[in-house]
Amino acid sequence: MTQDFQAIPLGTYDAFKDATSWDEETSRQWVDTLNRRSAASDQIQLRARLVELAALGQRDTVVEIGCGTGALLCDLARKVGPGGRIIGFEPQAAFAQAAIRRLHTAGYESVSEVLCKSAEHLPLADESAAACLAQTVLIHLPDHILHRTLREVIRVVRHGGRVISIDQDGDTWVIDHPDRELTKRIVRFNSDQRYADGWTGRRLRRYFRQAGLSSVEVHTWPHTDTDSGTYLFDMATRLAGAAADVGVITTSECNTWLAQLDEVALAGHFFSSINFYASVGIRT
Ligand SMILES: C[S@@+](CC[C@H](N)C(=O)[O-])C[C@H]1O[C@@H](n2cnc3c(N)ncnc32)[C@H](O)[C@@H]1O
């Protein structure tokens, strides 16, 4: 017997819901996952474009909320140069430590700061930053926290500065697998349950406009993986396991689905992609 999807409230099994109380092993696994994703060539290009969209100058102060293990912080530090300032907010302690390590290793210690803190209340003055960015953070925030966080982010950005959020959309995850029906159930589990709202990507433009940002633009990037050992291969494996753990598919369905996925990958045919949507708005 499996659980009926309709009966489970959206976002019930968001992986980041309890991130601040993860044990060491779980934290380590997620640090590896974020590092693997950030090292993918699609993600390197995506970050380069985000930095461009932030329209930063040398010596600017820039804020990133939910900075994870710090890949984007380093790119931002490179952009603003030695006279600039980079401030990251990250409530998950192992992520914050990994971000600090990454910044120090890259030589950005003197221009950067990472605070182990959520972004609902930023200890920053009004209009003190040239831009604020969030990468796959808002998708994990329940509605009321998302809107409160967006207001807070807008408060700290100077007039004419940019607010940028990039989020995936759960229903754009595609994976080539021989079992279409079970794959659709796993995709739905991902979109409806593994994010506070898996449709955040398609809703960002509306949220930005409703929050009073002007000239809101949307940019779309697909992330595509064609090998095992990649971010989307790991994500598929993790999701099938999580779906079985909570009973939306059976353990036997999970094992068969994973074995078939391995066969596809062994034959060199793994294919998966997901779309990321960046909204960029100007603080009026
Ligand atoms: C999917 S991870 C993305 C991390 C990083 N931005 C990246 O792309 O690698 C989501 C991040 O949002 C952080 N987060 C969750 N709730 C938050 C909040 N209220 N304020 C700031 N960050 C939050 C999590 O701890 C986690 O690091």
Side-chain angles (χ1 to χ4, degrees), residues 30 54 63 71 79 97 128 131 135 146 157 216 229 240 248 257 276-277:
W30 278 109
V63 172
K79 179 70 185 178
Q97 282 155 16
S128 52
Q135 186 178 9
L146 183 154
V157 170
V216 178
V248 299
W257 194 83
F276 288 80
Y277 298 90

Side-chain angles (χ1 to χ4, degrees), residues 12-165:
T12 297
Y13 301 112
D14 187 324
F16 288 90
K17 213 175 188 174
D18 57 354
T20 53
S21 52
W22 285 340
D23 61 23
E24 211 173 300
E25 174 59 13
T26 308
S27 304
R28 196 189 53 74
Q29 283 170 5
W30 278 109
V31 166
D32 288 350
T33 298
L34 290 190
N35 285 344
R36 184 167 298 130
R37 183 172 76 172
S38 67
S41 60
D42 282 348
Q43 295 288 322
I44 292 169
Q45 287 171 29
L46 180 156
R47 286 199 307 278
R49 191 75 181 102
L50 287 180
V51 172
E52 240 177 70
L53 289 169
L56 297 166
Q58 297 267 314
R59 305 155 73 93
D60 271 341
T61 294
V62 57
V63 172
E64 185 191 356
I65 62 163
C67 62
T69 58
L72 179 58
L73 285 179
C74 282
D75 298 340
L76 293 166
R78 196 173 310 119
K79 179 70 185 178
V80 298
R85 181 122 205 92
I86 303 299
I87 308 169
F89 290 90
E90 175 49 62
Q92 210 292 325
F95 287 173
Q97 282 155 16
I100 291 168
R101 272 197 305 277
R102 190 195 290 259
L103 285 159
H104 290 194
T105 305
Y108 298 126
E109 185 168 358
S110 62
V111 295
S112 64
E113 189 179 358
V114 176
L115 303 176
C116 191
K117 220 184 154 323
S118 83
E120 287 161 70
H121 302 287
L122 300 173
L124 299 172
D126 293 359
E127 300 172 43
S128 52
C132 180
L133 296 92
Q135 186 178 9
T136 63
V137 177
L138 299 189
I139 192 169
H140 292 290
L141 303 185
D143 213 40
H144 63 292
I145 298 181
L146 183 154
H147 292 292
R148 195 185 306 152
T149 301
L150 193 51
R151 280 198 298 277
E152 185 63 352
V153 157
I154 293 170
R155 178 185 69 75
V156 304
V157 170
R158 72 182 178 213
H159 293 281
R162 310 259 167 127
V163 174
I164 301 179
S165 178

